[in-house]
Structures are given as C-alpha cells and as structure tokens.
Amino acid sequence: MESYICDIVVILAAMVIALRNLSKSYETAEGRLEVLRGIDLDLGAGDCVALTGESGSGKSTLLHLVAGLDRPDAGEILIGGRDISKLDDRGRAAYRRTEVGLVFQQFNLIPSLDVAANIAFHAKLAGRHDSAWENELVERLGVGTLLTRYPEQLSSGQQQRVAIGRTLAARPGLVLADEPTGNLDEANGDAVLDLMFSLSKGTGSTLLMVTHSHRLADRLDRQIHLRSGKIT
Amino acid sequence: MTISTVAAALLSHWRRQPLQLGALMLGLALATALWSGVQAVNAEARASYARAAAALDQNGLAHLVSPGGRSIPRDAFVRLRRAGWNVSPVLEGEYRFGATRLRVIGIEPLTMPAETRTVDLANAGDLLSFISPPGTMVVSPETAEKIRGQTDLALRVSDRMPDGAAFVDIGLAERLLRRDGELTRIVIAENQRPGLEPLGTFAPALSVREPTAQSDIEHLTESFHLNLTAFGFLAFAVGLFIVYSTIGLAFEQRRPTFRTLRCLGVSLSALAVLLLAELVLFALAAGAAGVIVGYLVASLLLPGVAATLEGLYGASVPGTLSLRPEWWLSGFAIAVAGTLVSSTQSLVRLMRVPLLAAAQPQKWGRSSRTGRRFQALAAAALLGLSGALILWADGLQAGFGVLGCLLLGASLLLPAVLSGFLTLMQRASSGALIMWFWADARQQLPGLSLALMALLLALAANVGVGTMVSSFRLTFVGWLDQRLAAELYVAARNELEADRLRAWLATKVESVLPISSVDTEIRGQPMQIFGVVDDPTYRKHWPLIVGLPDVWDRVASGEGVLVNEQFWRRERLRIGDQLDLASDWKSTVVGAYSDYGNPKGQVIAGIDALTSRYPQVSRLRYGLRVQPDQVADLRSSLSDEFGLPPDNIVDQAALKEQSRRIFDRTFLVTGALNTLTLGVAALAMFLSLLTLTEMRLPQLAPVWAMGVTRRDLAILEILRTLVLWLATFTTALPLGLALAWVLLAVVNVEAFGWRVPMHIFPYEWVRLGLVALAAAVVSMLIPLRRLAGLAPSELLKVFANER
Ligand SMILES: Nc1ncnc2c1ncn2[C@@H]1O[C@H](COP(=O)(O)OP(=O)(O)O)[C@@H](O)[C@H]1O
Ligand SMILES: [Mg+2]
C-alpha cells in the first residue's frame, strides 16, 4: 500500500483549471445517455465559480470528472497543466488526496470517527496536518463543542459545517462542492456558505460549486450554466 | 385487502433478497441437521442397548441374585421350583473362541418364561439339538462369521441376537465355563401360582433385583451420549446464530412494508400472525432438509460411534441407521423451536416499536448502551456461576453446567473485549488511515459480533477438545508402555495345554506373568479381580497413581490389593480402606493405578489369594518377558511346539497398535462434530460479511473520495476481517484451555472415572489457526470481490442527491 503520509505534494499556488472538449455518457436501460457533450471551460487560480443548471443536466457528473472520481469518455481535464484524465486509479487517488477538497450534499463524514478526527482526516492524508489552522477553523465554524461527537449525533447543518472544516483543513488548491446546502434551510445554508466563501478566499483556493439556487450563484465571482450537455 | 395480498407483499421481500433467504434456510437446515444427526446416533445406540438388555438380561423381569455377585448354588433353584415357583436358571460368563471373547449365556429353554424368549425353539427338533450334547450356540450372523472354525459346536444364527453373545443350553454353559452346579441368576416369571410361600423362605441368601428400565450398558455409556449431545447442541447453537441474525435483518429491512401494510389497515396482530406463519413455513421446509442432511450426518457418524462404544464399553451397536418416525418429528420440532427462539426478539420489536419509527437496517444488531451493559453483566454472572459450580458442585451434569456457563459467558463478553481492544489500538495509532482502520473495525463489530461469537465458540471447542484428546493420548501412550510391559502375550486353548505351556516356558523366558481374572460384583458394581505373581515387571512398570512404598510386597503376601482409578474415585477410597472381595475374602486397599479405557472397576490381588478363593479361575493367558530380540524366535517355537493359532500369540507392538487405534477411533466422532461446528461458524461469518458489504458503501465512499484507492480499501477490508478473526482466535485460546481443563478435571473424572494431566500443544493451535485463516479468507472472497469490482458510480451514488 502506498504511504499516504509521506506522499506530500504541497500546492502553494491555487489551481488553474482547463477543460477541453469533455464528454461523458452513461449506459442505461433505455440506451446510451449523453450527459456531457464537449465541455470547454477555463477557471483562473482563486476563482469562485457557480455551476448551475436544471436537475439532471450533468452538474454532478462534471464535478465528479473534475474531482478525478470518474473518467470522461473523451476530452482533457487540465489541472495546473496536467491532464488528470490520463492518470490511473492510483494517480487520481493521489490527486484527490493532495489537491482536491470535496463537499457533497450528504454523507461527507466518516461515520466511525468523531468530529475532531473527521476534521483532521483529510489534512493528515494529504500530509498537511496543522493543528493551529484546524483550531481556527473549528472556532470559525462554531463546532468546538461537537468535537467528541460522532456524525450520526449531529444535525444536517452541523454535519455540513464539519464537512467544510474537514475540506479546508487540508488547504486544497481546488474546492469542489455539490449543493452543499441542499439539505439545509435557507438561513442555515447561508451561514454555512458565508463561512465557506470567506475561508476559501482566505486559503486562496479555486472554488467550483454546484447549486441551482440563483440567489447563491449570484454571490460568487462567476456563473456557468449547463444545458443539453454544453456550457452556455 | 385479502390475506393473500398481504402475504404476497410480505413474501416479495425474499424474492428480492434470495441470498438472505438462502442464508436463513441454510442456517436452519444445518442447525437441525447437526442436532438431529446426533440425536439419531444416540437414539440408535440406546435402542440397541435396550434390545440387547431385553434379549440377554431379560431385564423386563425380576431376578434373584446373590448380593456379593457370587454364584448361586443350583440347589436354590431346585428348591424354588419344587415349591411351585415359576423360575428359570441362568449361568453366564465370558468364554474365548480363538481370539473372540463371547458372553456365553446358559439358559434352560423349558423353564425360561415365554415373554423373554429370544431363542425360538418352538420346533421340537430345534429344541432337541439345543439341549442335547454336543449342543448348539445361538448367535448373531456377525458373531457366527467371527467364530466359525473356532469351535466344534453347532451354530444357529438368529437375527434377534445382539453381537458378541451366545445362548447355549445351561448344561453346555457349565462345561464351557467350568462352573458345574453354579448359577449366575434366577429369572422370576411374571405369572406365578397364587398362595406360594415367599421367596425368602427358600433362598434367604439371595435378593430380588426388580426389573429395570435402564441396562448396565446404558448406565456406562450415559456420559458418552451426554458428551455427544453437548457437542450436538453446540453446533445447533452456532447454526442458530445465523438464523437469528438473518431474521433480525429481514425484519428490519421490511419495516417500511410493515408500515405501509398497517397504514392500509392490516392490524398488528394479523401482521404478527402472518409473519409467524411465514417463519413456521420456512422452519418446516428447512427442517425437512435438515432432517435429511442429519440422516446423512448420522450415517457418517454412526460407524465411528459404534466403534467407540465397542472399544470403550464393549457395547455392540449396529453400524447402520434405521429411520424412526419420532426422529423426523423431533427434527421438525427442533427446527420450529429454533426459529421461534431466534425470531422472538424481532417479533417483540415489531409489536413494540411505534408505527412510524424509521427503519434502520444498517443499525440492526447494534445494541444500545444499556443492552451492552446488561450483556457484560450477564457474562460476568455466568462466568461467576461456572466458577461456583467448579468449587461447590459435582456430578456430570454440574460438569456440563460449568462448560455451558463458561462458553456462554465468554461469548457474551467477546464484543466488549474486542471493542476494548480496538479502542486501545485506535488510541495508540496516529496516522489518519490507521486510526480510521481501527475505528471502522469497531463500528463494524456490532454487525459481526454474532458471527464472531459463533466463531469463538467453535474455535474454543476445537482448542478445548483438541487439548483434552491430545493430553489424554499422550498420557495413554505412556501408560500403554507401562501397562503392556510383557513382550509377548500368549493364550492356551485349554487348561491342559496351559499346564504344558507353563512347564515348557519355565526355561525359555525371563518370567511368565499369568493373566487370570474373575468377574464379580463388589459394592454393587461389576468388577474384575486380577491375580498377579510377584515379579519385578510390576514393581518397575505398573502405572500406580498412589500407593504405599511396599505395595507389591503387600499384594504378593495377600495382605493388600490395588484398585483401578475409576473404582478408586467412584467409591472415594483411601489407602487402608477395607474391601469385601468375596464372602470369605476381605482385603485392604494399598494403592491405585490408572486403567484407561476400562469402564469397569478392577482389583489386583496376589495370584495365590485369588486362586485360593476361586480355584476354578481360568489360567489360560500369560504375558512373557523376554529380550526383545528373542520375541520372533519364541513366537515361532511356540507355534511349532503347541500349534497355537496366530491369534493366540500377540506381541506387544501389535497390542499397542491395536489399543492406539481404538483410542483414535474413540475421538473421531467428537473431532468430526468439532470440524462441522467450525464450518458452520465460518458460514455464519461469510453471511455476516456479505450482509455488511451491502451496508458498507456509506462508510467507504467518503474515504475513497478523499483519495484512497479501491484496491487499498479492499486490502484494508481484508486486514480488518483478519484482525477480528485473529483477536477472536486469541480469545479462543485461553477459553479453549479453560474448557480443556474442565473436560479433563471435571467431566472426564465424572464420566469415565479417570483424571489425566493437561498438556499444551501449541503446534495444534498453529494448525487450527491456519484452518481458521483459510476459512476466513474463503469467507471474505465473495464480499471482497464485490468491493474491489465496485464501479465509481456505485460509490458516487452515496453522495447523490436522490438518496
Ligand atoms: N451512474 C449513472 N448511470 C446512469 N445514469 C446516470 C448515472 N449518473 C447520472 N446519471 C444520469 O445522468 C444525468 C445527469 O446526472 P447528474 O450529473 O447527477 O445531474 P445533476 O447533478 O445536474 O442533477 C441524469 O439523467 C442522471 O440520471
Ligand atoms: Mg447533482
């Protein structure tokens, strides 16, 4: 097994992302479903971008490809100049470990670890464990009283705060979020997002966030809209 | 809504979960099979004891016997008969035909009560040839096969005869056994003329033995059958672990269905009744399969059991199984009972949990904190109880009670022990992945703990019984070396030849050790008294466990006797105790020796003391001490000089080999049951792992997303299972040793009457560990292949919004 501790690739600069003619389809019972049909996109370092589109338009699919969780059928995903779609399983795992931070709508946390261990987990995997920074995050996110609790003992809002803390603790060059507040009520969701924006600005990460709320999208630097597998 | 619609809705679950249905049926069928297989073996053996006792001992009738186990003079019978009593004489004893020792039972066919007549002599010609010289022996076909050519007597084969015994006319028995005018017992017929004077008037020295339901052999073999039952039950319990966890999971998964049905107006009681009916239906189907498999198991086990019983107790049991209806019924009953026991908790939950509570299949089996505390308390109580039983109770039942409490207590304690171990490991580790490894193992523990408990039981039983058998074997082999000190054993065919043999041997060998014994009854137990000469062989080799420093002088002078360990323990004898060996023979106990494999009590006295009380004692057999390199020569000159058949001259090596074979066969059955139990435990583990894999995705997906490859996750998964197996195995070792200790120091002493020191066999643990490891790997294979072959999209679904 590869060592997750020594394999340190410190990304000091935020990521420049370029997608070239990216396409992805799924085999379904009704036949081939073309979800992405030639996506071209450039994101600058430190950009905060909202990805919007109808439900089923392929937002999550695109995010997964950029995160190295799945492979495209064709096209390039250039992260800092390197095409991660050409990487093998191990290479993509290393990329996720060291360069990407992910926040999903749910099931972000590791059920068997308490909040403190969850927050430190990714940073440790990436080899960038920094207690001072984690303490600061815990304080800013207001989860200091929850550190010894387990995920199933938290509310959804608390879970998402912890997930954001976990993601940012690793200081990833690229933060990808897929409707991170979809399960939260508006007030709670806004509070969580405010924290995420300011914190990722603070670390200088590039942020790509899927949302179908225009109100949220408006608060970011830029918006990208997906329709019929293309960016409009 | 009709019943059938509801039933269809409930049953559809199983169509979607064929694996679960398979697990349920398999667990139930296996549990039933192992249990009913063992029951079948026991029933068959018991039936054959009862048959033999009814035929040979006429134990359905009262008897007159002599209290000291001495012979009854024939006059007593004649007096009774004259007074009008309907009685019949029996003389029995052991007689050798070549190498075959038979129980010869002399009867008087004319007076023998009709209801006990095993021998059919209705035909006048048959009767005549039976009672007139040279006489006829009635034997079983198998016995006839063995002694054909060894005797001049005519043989009559009867299917109703048990093996190893022969009915002859009482006159012939007197000649064969050289006990002229003696009787062993007098059978009292049920129908007697009214107004007879009491029996005591005619035979004051005799006592009446009432008809017994249980034969002697049944008494002797009771412990053996209890042993089998205990291990059968263990296997059954291990199988039920599977049933219990499958039913629990299925109920939890169907909770939404239950909810829907109840919202549609199905009453709680109707739902419960339907579910109960479903379970009983499954139980009956699995029970049928189980009984069939149990029949196969029993037919596989029975020859081994028959050999064991023959070797240990001289009890003859046929090697083939007959199908008994009551056995089918008990198979179904145990399947249904097992299912109901395993589903009680689920049914109670169904009745109690509010209608709208959410289903939590991934939480099933995870106990609450109070549940865990209760479990630990119960475990402590059981362990304490087993300790108390060891200290203050005795008897075989108490011994098994100790075993039961120990095993149950330890398995209830296992989850707490493992959880403590994993917590410690998690605290001691620092790397994120390593920490997660331990934390996740701990989280999986509740779902696996039933399977791990089953595994613990199976492994501990294997270690315990293995240690017991190997310790016993080691002691036994050493004991054989002591006990079989003579280089050659020879048997003359008659007393005349024996006299010639002794004279001839006097100059040829270093010493001649006569092997003479009489069968008698001491303190109400069947006993053998052996007479020994004063010879250095005994002083050097005899396996004494306690004795005065000058035991052999005292034995030789007729002043004292030795007793075997089983009699010593059973009667709680002490050195210096007096024994009534015969009416005119009292002697002092001066020591005790180990005598493994012999169910009966035994006394060793000086040969002169024995022959003076029993002048008729047979003096046919001898042990010969010679230099080992002369054995072959002596053997051939013996057969040249006396024309003795090969079976009558046995050398030490052959005898030892034979004893060892009997020994090994004795524990074959327990070994087989143990292996089966381990197999069932491995199956339980496999099924639990398979079930858990389905629920593992939400636990694994985040770790994968954060950059751990699926391959590494699979490796961690293997390691995690192995760690749990290994921890369970490690726990099983001390438990198994405790088990072995109880078996050796409590159960065996009660069951067989001897105590063997415990030895430790680490090599056997390694072997068992490897077997368990192989089973572990096999149990992981399928779940693991699923995991390693998981498509990213399946993992991604965990995070998908649609969930
Ligand atoms: N693993 C998969 N197999 C088949 N179809 C899929 C799979 N994942 C997503 N889809 C389909 O692809 C389309 C795009 O899905 P997704 O990217 O999740 O959309 P969005 O996130 O924009 O709602 C949907 O129609 C969805 O049903
Ligand atoms: Mg989506």
Side-chain angles (χ1 to χ4, degrees):
Chain A
M1 184 178 313
E2 50 198 295
S3 158
Y4 291 93
I5 294 114
C6 307
D7 191 4
I8 304 176
V9 185
V10 182
I11 312 294
L12 292 174
M15 309 302 300
V16 179
I17 299 172
L19 307 182
R20 297 285 173 264
N21 197 22
L22 203 59
S23 60
K24 173 78 181 171
S25 59
Y26 294 110
E27 289 300 338
T28 66
E30 291 88 42
R32 203 168 180 79
L33 178 68
E34 306 263 350
V35 181
L36 304 178
R37 321 164 181 241
I39 302 277
D40 287 297
L41 180 66
D42 285 280
L43 296 184
D47 276 359
C48 285
V49 179
L51 181 59
T52 56
E54 308 258 293
S55 178
S57 58
K59 306 181 294 293
S60 296
T61 303
L62 181 60
L63 200 79
H64 294 159
L65 291 180
V66 176
L69 290 165
D70 210 349
R71 299 182 105 146
D73 298 343
E76 294 178 337
I77 307 168
L78 300 165
I79 310 286
R82 191 171 47 143
D83 185 357
I84 63 143
S85 66
K86 299 285 184 298
L87 295 174
D88 62 4
D89 227 31
R90 285 179 67 148
R92 278 183 291 134
Y95 159 69
R96 293 199 298 273
R97 202 159 62 232
T98 52
E99 301 174 33
V100 184
L102 286 161
V103 185
F104 296 108
Q105 184 173 0
Q106 58 179 359
F107 289 106
N108 284 295
L109 302 179
I110 298 171
S112 54
L113 296 177
D114 64 15
V115 167
N118 259 297
I119 289 179
F121 189 82
H122 196 171
K124 282 184 175 172
L125 272 191
R128 287 196 288 268
H129 179 42
D130 175 351
S131 314
W133 171 227
E134 278 160 28
N135 288 341
E136 190 187 332
L137 283 173
V138 164
E139 198 163 308
R140 302 268 309 267
L141 290 163
V143 294
T145 55
L146 310 175
L147 289 179
T148 56
R149 291 214 200 157
Y150 284 84
E152 62 178 19
Q153 299 167 314
L154 303 180
S155 70
S156 308
Q158 289 170 329
Q159 284 187 18
Q160 289 308 81
R161 281 168 202 263
V162 175
I164 289 166
R166 194 267 317 275
T167 301
L168 296 175
R171 295 183 190 275
L174 173 61
V175 174
L176 300 172
D178 192 349
E179 304 191 39
T181 56
N183 273 352
L184 308 183
D185 60 55
E186 204 165 274
N188 219 337
D190 283 359
V192 167
L193 279 180
D194 280 339
L195 275 167
M196 188 157 96
F197 297 154
S198 67
L199 285 170
S200 61
K201 277 264 183 267
T203 54
S205 308
T206 306
L207 173 71
L208 180 61
M209 183 178 84
V210 171
T211 180
H212 46 217
S213 151
H214 289 287
R215 192 177 53 79
L216 290 180
D218 286 341
R219 298 179 51 191
L220 295 192
D221 304 344
R222 202 177 133 193
Q223 290 190 27
I224 303 166
H225 193 71
L226 256 184
R227 184 184 290 155
S228 329
K230 297 254 186 205
I231 288 186
T232 55
Chain B
M1 208 167 8
T2 63
I3 297 268
S4 61
T5 331
V6 178
L10 287 174
L11 286 172
S12 67
H13 169 81
W14 302 103
R15 216 175 324 113
R16 270 181 289 118
Q17 304 269 356
L19 197 77
Q20 212 174 50
L21 182 62
L24 178 62
M25 298 304 260
L26 197 63
L28 201 51
L30 270 178
T32 313
L34 289 173
W35 171 259
S36 67
V38 165
Q39 290 311 311
V41 167
N42 282 344
E44 191 68 43
R46 293 217 174 93
S48 99
Y49 305 148
R51 260 200 317 273
L56 300 179
D57 303 334
Q58 299 87 34
N59 71 342
L61 293 180
H63 294 258
L64 274 174
V65 292
S66 167
R70 281 165 306 239
S71 326
I72 302 168
R74 200 179 168 82
D75 309 344
F77 165 70
V78 176
R79 276 199 304 276
L80 285 166
R81 201 72 208 176
R82 286 221 183 99
W85 276 90
N86 184 5
V87 288
S88 182
V90 175
L91 170 63
E92 61 173 279
E94 292 210 332
Y95 189 82
R96 278 173 161 269
F97 295 86
T100 316
R101 201 193 259 261
L102 288 192
R103 179 171 166 200
V104 169
I105 305 159
I107 54 166
E108 204 181 73
L110 294 172
T111 54
M112 183 53 85
E115 56 264 41
T116 68
R117 227 171 258 163
T118 314
V119 196
D120 180 21
L121 300 169
N123 183 318
D126 287 346
L127 181 61
L128 200 66
S129 74
F130 187 79
I131 59 174
S132 51
T136 304
M137 288 207 295
V138 183
V139 291
S140 74
E142 209 169 298
T143 311
E145 210 50 56
K146 274 197 200 149
I147 60 167
R148 216 175 282 282
Q150 303 277 1
T151 170
D152 303 331
L153 297 166
L155 294 181
R156 239 191 76 183
V157 172
S158 161
D159 284 335
R160 274 186 286 169
M161 278 299 288
D163 292 337
F167 273 121
V168 297
D169 180 63
I170 192 156
L172 176 56
E174 285 181 328
R175 284 200 305 284
L176 284 176
L177 303 172
R178 296 167 157 242
R179 291 168 70 178
D180 221 354
E182 294 181 22
L183 299 179
T184 316
R185 51 199 162 91
I186 298 173
V187 182
I188 309 168
E190 244 163 45
N191 297 323
Q192 300 291 352
R193 242 190 289 155
L196 290 172
E197 278 193 59
L199 286 164
T201 336
F202 307 102
L206 303 185
S207 56
V208 175
R209 196 173 72 197
E210 292 302 330
T212 52
Q214 208 183 26
S215 61
D216 288 346
I217 203 78
E218 234 175 315
H219 254 317
L220 284 175
T221 51
E222 199 174 6
S223 54
F224 177 81
H225 291 297
L226 195 55
N227 231 313
L228 268 190
T229 307
F231 282 104
F233 188 73
L234 183 66
F236 177 69
V238 168
L240 279 196
F241 276 118
I242 301 178
V243 180
Y244 172 79
S245 53
T246 321
I247 291 181
L249 184 62
F251 267 62
E252 200 57 44
Q253 286 174 340
R254 284 194 288 183
R255 192 91 77 74
T257 315
F258 299 161
R259 194 165 50 211
T260 312
L261 288 173
R262 291 207 41 210
C263 290
L264 293 176
V266 180
S267 74
L268 190 58
S269 55
L271 190 60
V273 166
L274 272 172
L275 285 168
L276 210 57
E278 172 198 80
L279 288 173
V280 170
L281 201 74
F282 286 163
L284 290 178
V291 171
I292 292 168
V293 178
Y295 180 79
L296 294 177
V297 169
S299 7
L300 287 178
L301 290 180
L302 193 60
V305 172
T308 302
L309 290 166
E310 170 95 52
L312 263 183
Y313 306 102
S316 119
V317 172
T320 52
L321 202 63
S322 47
L323 268 178
R324 293 159 202 287
E326 69 264 27
W327 177 49
W328 279 95
L329 283 179
S330 78
F332 282 119
I334 197 81
V336 172
T339 312
L340 292 183
V341 166
S342 318
S343 57
T344 313
Q345 197 196 13
S346 297
L347 281 170
V348 168
R349 271 178 65 91
L350 170 76
M351 308 293 280
R352 280 221 306 241
V353 170
L355 182 60
L356 291 176
Q360 296 178 304
Q362 61 274 49
K363 268 202 189 162
W364 188 83
R366 220 187 287 183
S367 42
S368 62
R369 173 171 292 197
T370 44
R372 282 200 303 270
R373 196 169 293 160
F374 176 76
Q375 190 171 333
L377 272 178
L382 282 167
L383 292 178
L385 183 60
S386 77
L389 281 174
I390 289 178
L391 287 180
W392 293 302
D394 49 20
L396 195 58
Q397 261 77 12
F400 279 104
V402 171
L403 288 186
C405 290
L406 192 65
L407 284 177
L408 196 61
S411 57
L412 285 179
L413 203 58
L414 181 73
V417 169
L418 288 181
S419 164
F421 161 72
L422 294 172
T423 310
L424 261 171
M425 294 309 286
Q426 186 187 346
R427 292 227 180 100
S429 49
S430 55
L433 212 52
I434 313 281
M435 221 167 105
W436 170 71
F437 174 82
W438 296 115
D440 202 57
R442 193 154 63 97
Q443 201 191 30
Q444 260 189 293
L445 202 54
L448 281 178
S449 63
L450 274 174
L452 289 170
M453 279 153 84
L455 185 67
L456 178 77
L457 288 183
L459 285 174
N462 271 277
V463 170
V465 174
T467 305
M468 188 266 280
V469 171
S470 299
S471 295
F472 192 9
R473 192 170 201 281
L474 197 68
T475 313
F476 182 76
V477 169
W479 170 82
L480 272 182
D481 286 341
Q482 295 181 301
R483 188 68 182 259
L484 299 176
E487 281 73 21
L488 207 58
Y489 293 83
V490 54
R493 280 162 296 189
N494 51 52
E495 295 292 338
L496 217 67
E497 190 173 61
D499 291 343
R500 275 210 303 134
L501 192 65
R502 274 200 307 277
W504 185 84
L505 283 170
T507 58
K508 302 271 193 304
V509 299
E510 286 167 20
S511 48
V512 177
L513 312 173
I515 303 171
S516 300
S517 67
V518 294
D519 289 321
T520 175
E521 207 168 277
I522 299 176
R523 299 197 176 186
Q525 302 174 25
M527 291 283 276
Q528 269 182 316
I529 306 179
F530 272 86
V532 295
V533 292
D534 189 9
D535 189 275
T537 304
Y538 297 114
R539 293 172 187 265
K540 252 211 310 256
H541 295 288
W542 201 254
L544 286 180
I545 50 175
V546 276
L548 297 173
D550 56 346
V551 265
W552 293 107
D553 294 331
R554 289 175 191 249
V555 170
S557 69
E559 193 188 319
V561 291
L562 295 170
V563 296
N564 66 357
E565 184 184 358
Q566 29 289 52
F567 186 60
W568 170 267
R569 290 194 191 276
R570 220 178 288 147
E571 290 296 308
R572 298 176 193 278
L573 292 175
R574 279 172 203 294
I575 290 193
D577 283 357
Q578 289 284 314
L579 278 186
D580 278 330
L581 299 176
S583 53
D584 54 347
W585 187 10
K586 281 196 194 347
S587 198
T588 315
V589 175
V590 292
Y593 56 95
S594 44
D595 183 22
Y596 304 123
N598 179 6
K600 286 188 192 163
Q602 205 176 68
V603 171
I604 285 183
I607 184 96
D608 297 334
L610 179 72
T611 44
S612 65
R613 269 72 171 208
Y614 292 90
Q616 81 287 9
V617 64
S618 131
R619 303 184 62 170
L620 298 179
R621 300 195 300 137
Y622 298 91
L624 309 177
R625 296 302 314 263
V626 286
Q627 290 304 314
D629 54 356
Q630 289 169 8
V631 170
D633 285 347
L634 182 64
R635 197 186 172 117
S636 57
S637 16
L638 265 172
S639 61
D640 290 348
E641 192 74 22
F642 295 90
L644 285 173
D647 280 348
N648 286 35
I649 315 171
V650 185
D651 61 39
Q652 192 194 64
L655 215 50
K656 279 187 187 164
E657 181 49 39
Q658 191 186 342
S659 307
R660 257 180 241 144
R661 254 207 322 273
I662 291 180
F663 180 92
D664 287 339
R665 260 195 330 210
T666 302
F667 292 102
L668 218 59
V669 181
T670 353
L673 276 178
N674 263 320
T675 313
L676 281 174
T677 311
L678 196 59
V680 177
L683 186 71
M685 189 72 185
F686 164 73
L687 293 171
S688 307
L689 283 174
L690 207 56
T691 313
L692 281 183
T693 324
E694 317 266 302
M695 309 173 184
R696 296 267 311 137
L697 291 187
Q699 290 151 25
L700 296 178
V703 184
W704 168 75
M706 278 181 273
V708 177
T709 57
R710 277 167 295 164
R711 187 178 138 271
D712 288 348
L713 283 177
I715 292 175
L716 287 172
E717 210 64 3
I718 299 181
L719 287 178
R720 194 176 290 114
T721 314
L722 285 184
V723 161
L724 289 177
W725 275 79
L726 198 69
T728 308
F729 183 75
T730 314
T731 319
L733 285 183
L735 180 61
L737 289 182
L739 195 69
W741 184 84
V742 175
L743 284 171
L744 285 169
V746 183
V747 174
N748 274 5
V749 178
E750 295 292 341
F752 304 111
W754 54 71
R755 182 166 181 169
V756 172
M758 185 160 125
H759 297 273
I760 297 214
F761 302 86
Y763 170 73
E764 284 186 16
W765 301 348
V766 173
R767 221 187 32 159
L768 179 65
L770 288 179
V771 171
L773 188 71
V777 170
V778 171
S779 76
M780 276 186 298
L781 272 177
I782 297 183
L784 206 67
R785 264 189 44 193
R786 276 203 183 185
L787 188 65
L790 220 53
S793 62
E794 282 183 79
L795 284 159
L796 285 171
K797 264 189 217 148
V798 170
F799 309 113
N801 306 345
E802 293 85 41
R803 267 180 83 97

CSV table of all heavy atoms in Angstrom, one decimal, chain A residues 74 100 106 152 154 180:
chain,number,residue,atom,x,y,z
A,74,ALA,N,-14.1,11.2,-23.4
A,74,ALA,CA,-13.2,11.9,-24.2
A,74,ALA,C,-12.9,13.3,-23.7
A,74,ALA,O,-13.6,13.8,-22.9
A,74,ALA,CB,-13.7,12.0,-25.7
A,100,VAL,N,-7.5,18.2,-4.0
A,100,VAL,CA,-8.9,18.5,-4.1
A,100,VAL,C,-9.6,18.4,-2.7
A,100,VAL,O,-9.2,17.6,-1.9
A,100,VAL,CB,-9.6,17.4,-5.0
A,100,VAL,CG1,-11.1,17.8,-5.2
A,100,VAL,CG2,-8.9,17.4,-6.4
A,106,GLN,N,-24.5,15.3,1.2
A,106,GLN,CA,-24.7,14.4,2.4
A,106,GLN,C,-23.6,13.3,2.4
A,106,GLN,O,-22.9,13.2,1.4
A,106,GLN,CB,-26.1,13.8,2.3
A,106,GLN,CG,-26.2,13.0,1.0
A,106,GLN,CD,-27.6,12.3,0.9
A,106,GLN,OE1,-28.4,12.4,1.8
A,106,GLN,NE2,-27.8,11.5,-0.1
A,152,GLU,N,-23.4,10.7,13.4
A,152,GLU,CA,-24.9,10.4,13.5
A,152,GLU,C,-25.5,11.2,14.6
A,152,GLU,O,-26.7,11.2,14.7
A,152,GLU,CB,-25.1,8.9,13.6
A,152,GLU,CG,-24.4,8.3,14.9
A,152,GLU,CD,-24.7,6.8,15.1
A,152,GLU,OE1,-25.1,6.2,14.1
A,152,GLU,OE2,-24.6,6.4,16.2
A,154,LEU,N,-25.1,14.4,14.9
A,154,LEU,CA,-25.1,15.8,14.5
A,154,LEU,C,-26.3,16.1,13.7
A,154,LEU,O,-26.8,15.2,13.0
A,154,LEU,CB,-23.9,16.2,13.7
A,154,LEU,CG,-22.5,15.9,14.4
A,154,LEU,CD1,-21.4,16.3,13.4
A,154,LEU,CD2,-22.4,16.7,15.7
A,180,PRO,N,-23.9,21.9,-1.4
A,180,PRO,CA,-23.5,21.6,-0.1
A,180,PRO,C,-24.6,22.0,0.9
A,180,PRO,O,-24.6,21.5,2.0
A,180,PRO,CB,-22.2,22.4,0.2
A,180,PRO,CG,-22.3,23.5,-0.8
A,180,PRO,CD,-23.0,22.9,-2.0
